[in-house]
Amino acid sequence: METDNKPKCTGSQCPRGKLFATNWLDGISSGNDFDVVEVVFKNTRTGFYTNPNRLDLKIGDMVAVEGAPGHDVGRVSMIGRLVRLQMKKGNISSDSELKKVFRIATQNDLEKYAEAAAREEDTMIRSRKIAEELGLNMKIGDVEYQGDGGKAIFYYIADERVDFRKLIRILADTFKVRIEMKQIGARQEAGRIGGIGPCGRPLCCSSWMTHFVSVGTGAARVQDLSMNPQKLAGQCAKLKCCLNFEIDSYSEAQKKLPPKDVTLETKDGTYYYFKPDILARKITYSTDKAIPANLVTIDAARAFEIIALNKQGVKVDSLEETEGKKNEKPAYVDLVEQESLTRFDNSKRRKRKRNNNNQDSDRQDRKEKTGNTPKTEGKNDIKNGNDRNKNNRYKNNRGNRKGKPNQEVSAKPKE
């Protein structure tokens, strides 16, 4: 069963390839907390509309809103106090005049909206032929009809300014609707069409990005990328948007590297900055400015150390660290062993073993002084006592054998 917060749209009613808004104040803030709602239309076109009738709107509801002229049909994408944040993000003042939400879309409104949406593809194909006949250097990428079918928005792409006044007159006479032309960029078109990027994931512009920022070649230079247009360009033939995602991390990491114009002086010669590994904080130096010669890769910490020594007038033997420091290996730490359930048992065993070793050492000291350990001394005493008892018994038996035979005791009574 569908919950109220899940989208209730199918097909062309849903925004293409965009993530639905998440109301993270659900249960805390309702539509009554703020009288403005956010409504999304086709091609991620959004607008803010007032709710003067205080309708009980929820995310995913299809509503009929004020158009220009007539009315339009869209889906509620955000309600409550989060709408105020969205307006602030879009630089829209709450005091500005906003259009109104008329009603929750009825069955008749949805039927008209479906009929208008069914004409969009045919209208786009015919309008492309008209633009080609007029010789206009433009491409019509998509067409969006208003909910009541009285207006159509034509999205086009053009590299230069186009005079489409004649085109508008012909389109209005052909389709009998009000015409509005809206120019979009190559990035917006790629987001509308969709696709898979070289990373193996869906395009960011078709999955979650709604606002596009200009990308310059400086972002590629900061990240030390190859200036190859085939690798830097996306499916829209523009620089990839993802070049801007990690530029801040690279800029912070570059601040921890030595300057490029500083040379390192050694007893063998001078080394020049050749190539950095920014995130690994390693720099490759060469003995020639123009070509890679005698390349040596060192850490940034070692480079700063050599720079400090050069300032003091000291030239190092080589860029690499000494053998003693180079052969040092970090101590092995078993993190799994630290979380073992039997780690306390092992410590007890170690304590017992340590105590046994101490006792053995004490016994060894006694043995060196007395010649026998305490246990051995006791055993010898018992052994000596047993030997004496055996000798006494042996002597007694021997004496009995040499002496007179024992007289037999008669059991008869005397007469």
Side-chain angles (χ1 to χ4, degrees), residues 34-36 50 83-84 87-88 91-98:
F34 195 56
D35 61 347
V36 180
T50 60
V83 180
R84 185 184 289 110
M87 294 177 64
K88 185 178 180 181
N91 295 325
I92 299 176
S93 175
S94 58
D95 298 334
S96 59
E97 295 183 2
L98 301 176

Side-chain angles (χ1 to χ4, degrees), residues 69 116 119 123 126 130 145-146 148-152 154 167-180:
R119 294 186 291 164
T123 302
R126 293 176 62 185
I130 295 172
Y145 271 94
Q146 197 171 264
D148 57 358
K151 178 183 175 181
F154 289 80
L167 175 65
I168 292 176
R169 289 195 298 267
I170 296 175
L171 293 177
D173 295 338
T174 304
F175 301 110
K176 307 300 181 184
V177 293
R178 186 184 179 90
I179 304 299
E180 180 182 348

